[in-house]
Amino acid sequence: MTPEQFVAGLPKAELHMHIEGSIEPALFLRLARRNGVALRWQTEDELRDAYRFTDLQDFLNLYYDGCRVLVAPQDFHDVTRDYLRRAHADRVLHAEMFLGVQGHTSRGVPLAAVMEGVFGAMDAAEAEDGMSSGLIVVVQRHRSEDEALALLEELRPWYGRLLGFGLGGAELGNPPSKFAGFFRCCRERGFKVVAHAGEEGPAAYVREAVELLQVQRVDHGNACLDDPALVAQLVRLRIPLTVCPLSNLKLQLVPSMAAHPLRRLMDAGLCVTVNSDDPSYFGGYVNDNYLACQQALGLGRDDLTSLARNSFEAAFITPEQRSAAFRAVDAWVAHSIQQAAA
Ligand code: HPA
Ligand code: ZN
């Protein structure tokens, strides 16, 4: 079995992807036509050509602009359903997706249109593919904490369906501490909490996310390696990192995949997971990320299996779902060993 075949059949969870970052160029153009949105690009090739970024802000400018093609509930349904289909094809058994609601409501899109479109697609994936998923609303860190708190209130009708809250967007200059009150409210209401930290920002932001926001996972977290005491704390508390290797490469946070810290994070004893972040912009879905690391860092089957097991350990799923997922991983590994012996 080739590494490609091993990764393709390896059961996994995806825990760090932005729904708005999964609009493939073809769907992007179709949605723009459907909604009469004028674009700077006319073809899929022109769009793909535009996906070159110097840093996070450079990417976010295009990403927020791209959100304009999402208007009606059906648009949110289509993009979410497409992502879940691709994830299912990558043998993702469970996906936890980020949605940057403020990027839509600030353009006048009703909150209900966004939520109903996304939840409808999640229900369809469960019914048609037996795939489970959860939704995490990510608040934009360049906006104020008051805006985040107002959104938390507006989301009340959907509390029963929401998994939790996260923090995303322009990291530098917007530390986690800015949202300490918001995160306390989220936790008090029983939500899971996660935050992007240590992607472009320093280790101190990862520490704030853990100590002040009390997050259950850190999104990215790469910069923790600059602070050995923080790494020890993350290991001791077993706080997972949702690492996004191709994203880090595309946003020029690492000069090459060979220079990516994934292996160092794993060797430090951290609970590391591999994810796609914004798959249509960063050149790959979750399996592409596993394979890029496998090739550049020489990961073996045991490493790949650990990453998959970590994804289910880190997922916000029930103990029953977790045991079933671990059994599925074990069965795939046993199958691959049998194949090798045959
Ligand atoms: N970082 C921060 N915010 C984001 C990202 C990212 O990579 N993608 C979408 N929102
Ligand atoms: Zn992200």
Side-chain angles (χ1 to χ4, degrees):
M1 193 181 279
T2 63
E4 285 78 6
Q5 289 167 327
F6 183 74
V7 166
L10 185 62
K12 59 190 76 69
E14 179 157 46
L15 307 176
H16 183 159
M17 67 75 58
H18 302 257
I19 290 176
E20 299 91 337
S22 70
I23 316 177
E24 283 293 323
L27 178 62
F28 195 88
L29 295 175
R30 185 147 42 90
L31 291 177
R33 268 197 301 278
R34 193 151 96 187
N35 293 315
V37 176
L39 292 179
R40 286 178 271 161
W41 314 279
Q42 308 305 325
T43 66
E44 291 179 38
D45 282 342
E46 278 177 33
L47 269 172
R48 280 197 199 90
D49 221 42
Y51 297 171
R52 294 169 210 270
F53 312 107
T54 53
D55 58 19
L56 176 57
Q57 189 60 56
D58 185 42
F59 158 69
L60 289 171
N61 293 342
L62 188 111
Y63 171 89
Y64 292 143
D65 191 48
C67 287
R68 291 184 301 127
V69 302
L70 297 167
V71 178
Q74 189 66 45
D75 306 336
F76 290 92
H77 181 284
D78 290 352
V79 61
T80 308
R81 190 70 194 94
D82 272 14
Y83 161 70
L84 289 169
R85 269 204 198 92
R86 283 171 183 270
H88 179 63
D90 269 1
R91 209 155 180 219
V92 171
L93 307 187
H94 174 80
E96 293 174 7
M97 305 176 292
F98 293 144
L99 184 65
V101 172
Q102 290 158 314
H104 311 303
T105 52
S106 64
R107 297 181 288 117
V109 178
L111 189 54
V114 181
M115 302 310 282
E116 277 154 32
V118 170
F119 286 131
M122 291 165 65
D123 291 342
E126 180 90 54
E128 292 161 22
D129 295 328
M131 183 180 162
S132 60
S133 59
L135 189 67
I136 297 176
V137 168
V138 168
V139 301
Q140 295 177 335
R141 63 204 307 156
H142 68 277
R143 295 177 187 273
S144 70
E145 183 176 51
D146 280 348
E147 284 175 272
L149 286 163
L151 176 64
L152 182 61
E153 278 311 309
E154 285 160 35
L155 282 166
R156 208 172 262 285
W158 295 279
Y159 276 6
R161 285 222 57 179
L162 272 180
L163 202 50
F165 288 85
L167 185 62
E171 189 180 3
L172 289 171
N174 295 299
S177 51
K178 181 175 164 187
F179 292 90
F182 169 72
F183 272 72
R184 182 168 18 90
C185 283
C186 293
R187 291 197 316 273
E188 282 168 2
R189 287 169 206 210
F191 290 112
K192 309 287 189 206
V193 289
V194 298
H196 284 58
E199 178 188 18
E200 269 193 349
Y205 284 17
V206 178
R207 187 179 284 281
E208 283 189 10
V210 172
E211 294 180 354
L212 294 179
L213 307 189
Q214 297 175 32
V215 294
Q216 282 139 320
R217 296 194 298 246
V218 174
D219 296 315
H220 296 290
N222 303 16
C224 75
L225 285 171
D226 297 333
D227 180 347
L230 174 63
V231 170
Q233 191 176 351
L234 292 166
V235 169
R236 182 164 34 83
L237 299 173
R238 196 95 185 129
I239 295 179
L241 305 187
T242 62
V243 176
C244 305
L246 287 173
S247 164
N248 297 154
L249 181 68
K250 284 284 189 173
L251 298 186
Q252 304 201 29
L253 291 158
V254 292
S256 66
M257 281 307 295
H260 195 277
L262 183 91
R263 165 77 85 181
R264 275 178 283 143
L265 293 164
M266 293 174 78
D267 288 347
L270 290 157
C271 181
V272 180
T273 67
V274 165
N275 308 271
S276 68
D277 208 4
D278 299 284
S280 74
Y281 289 105
F282 298 151
Y285 285 78
V286 68
N287 286 0
D288 301 312
N289 276 272
Y290 272 72
L291 282 170
C293 293
Q294 185 271 327
Q295 283 156 15
L297 304 172
L299 302 187
R301 301 262 159 112
D302 287 355
D303 299 314
L304 297 167
T305 305
S306 298
L307 291 167
R309 288 186 67 87
N310 288 350
S311 73
F312 292 115
E313 180 188 333
F316 300 132
I317 50 179
T318 64
E320 293 73 28
Q321 279 178 293
R322 188 168 291 113
S323 319
F326 285 157
R327 282 197 301 277
V329 172
D330 291 344
W332 178 249
V333 172
H335 171 74
S336 75
I337 292 168
Q338 259 170 13
Q339 281 246 313

